[in-house]
Amino acid sequence: MNTTLLKLSTIKEVIPPVSVKIVSLCLLWYFVSSLSSQLTKSILNDFPFPLALGECQFVIVFSLCAITTIILSKLPKVHAMFPPGSVPPLNAAPILKPDRHILITVLPLGCFQFLGKLFSHSATALVPVSTVAGVKTLSPLILVTTYRLLYNVRFPTSTYLSLIPLVSGILLIVVADTHDTLITTTASTQYTGILYAALSLVVFVAQNIYGKTVFTYNQKSINDHAELALAHDDEQQNKSNERPILP
């Protein structure tokens, strides 16, 4: 009996807790991201202008965000379904008036988005979608490495173990795609596409690290990189008496 309990406790230490809500959101994000990548590749095949495509996407995203915030301001029940701090409060204007604090906070995110989109679309125009997605999927490895080296954040053993199959699978995808693509394209085109994908990866990792400090609702933790990087109780994130970094 004691041996069984000991084994169960050991397994719980290795396997992290699973949240159905978070897993569902990640699967939904993955589906939308995959569909977006396929559409982007299809558009760039007929319209080979990555920068113009990115600008069109930014205009559409801005329009949809503005429409969504206005609609949520009219529907309190739907508004309550969003996490605190993710949308403007009901008693505030749907669209915030930019001030110096907001501009300084959001400007880096805009730069990250612009550069990330530019490099990502440039890579998609040159190499298969699977290659670009494979390289960008290395973001967990880069994130963990960055937090460990720059901020001395120690992750659980399970985090490091989970990176092994991830890296192995991505290497297989990139090698296979490189071999197949060299039949129809030159080696320089292939390597340039991989370079663009890698630059996009670095930009989006930097965006994620900075964005975590901006989007974290609990202001007390934005200067604690360990708390930002590691999982913690949902109760701490759902405190209704805290204010987000953006009003």
Side-chain angles (χ1 to χ4, degrees):
M1 184 66 177
N2 293 334
T3 305
T4 304
L5 293 176
L6 181 60
K7 290 182 178 180
L8 289 176
S9 62
T10 304
I11 293 175
K12 289 182 178 180
E13 291 179 359
V14 176
I15 300 178
V18 177
S19 170
V20 176
K21 181 180 179 180
I22 294 177
V23 172
S24 300
L25 289 174
C26 288
L27 290 176
L28 181 61
W29 166 82
Y30 180 81
F31 172 77
V32 174
S33 178
S34 177
L35 181 61
S36 175
S37 298
Q38 296 293 337
L39 291 174
T40 299
K41 182 65 174 180
S42 178
I43 294 173
L44 289 174
N45 286 337
D46 299 326
F47 184 74
F49 301 100
L51 184 58
L53 176 60
E55 291 173 348
C56 292
Q57 288 180 317
F58 285 132
V59 172
I60 295 173
V61 169
F62 169 78
S63 301
L64 291 176
C65 288
I67 294 172
T68 301
T69 53
I70 293 174
I71 293 176
L72 290 178
S73 66
K74 309 295 183 182
L75 301 173
K77 291 184 179 180
V78 180
H79 183 281
M81 298 171 61
F82 286 78
S86 61
V87 293
L90 289 173
N91 58 353
I95 300 179
L96 299 175
K97 182 180 179 180
D99 56 20
R100 184 174 181 274
H101 171 67
I102 293 178
L103 291 176
I104 293 176
T105 304
V106 176
L107 182 60
L109 287 175
C111 294
F112 286 136
Q113 276 287 311
F114 174 78
L115 292 176
K117 285 285 186 183
L118 177 60
F119 290 135
S120 179
H121 289 349
S122 298
T124 304
L126 297 176
V127 296
V129 174
S130 56
T131 301
V132 180
V135 173
K136 291 167 67 175
T137 308
L138 285 172
S139 59
L141 174 63
I142 307 300
L143 273 171
V144 169
T145 303
T146 302
Y147 273 114
R148 184 69 183 89
L149 295 179
L150 295 185
Y151 304 117
N152 197 31
V153 177
R154 297 183 180 275
F155 291 86
T157 304
S158 57
T159 300
Y160 298 107
L161 293 177
S162 66
L163 295 176
I164 297 176
L166 173 68
V167 175
S168 302
I170 292 171
L171 288 176
L172 291 175
I173 292 174
V174 173
V175 170
D177 284 345
T178 301
H179 178 269
D180 295 338
T181 308
L182 287 177
I183 299 176
T184 57
T185 62
T186 62
S188 60
T189 300
Q190 178 73 13
Y191 296 139
T192 301
I194 294 176
L195 175 61
Y196 281 141
L199 291 174
S200 172
L201 165 65
V202 173
V203 171
F204 282 127
V205 166
Q207 173 190 281
N208 290 337
I209 294 175
Y210 174 76
K212 182 61 178 173
T213 65
V214 175
F215 298 129
T216 297
Y217 191 64
N218 183 3
Q219 280 192 327
K220 294 180 180 179
S221 65
I222 62 174
N223 294 321
D224 187 346
H225 291 283
E227 187 174 352
L228 290 173
L230 299 173
H232 51 283
D233 295 338
D234 291 338
E235 295 179 357
Q236 187 176 6
Q237 289 185 331
N238 293 330
K239 289 182 179 178
S240 58
N241 58 349
E242 299 287 352
R243 287 174 53 83
I245 190 170
L246 290 178

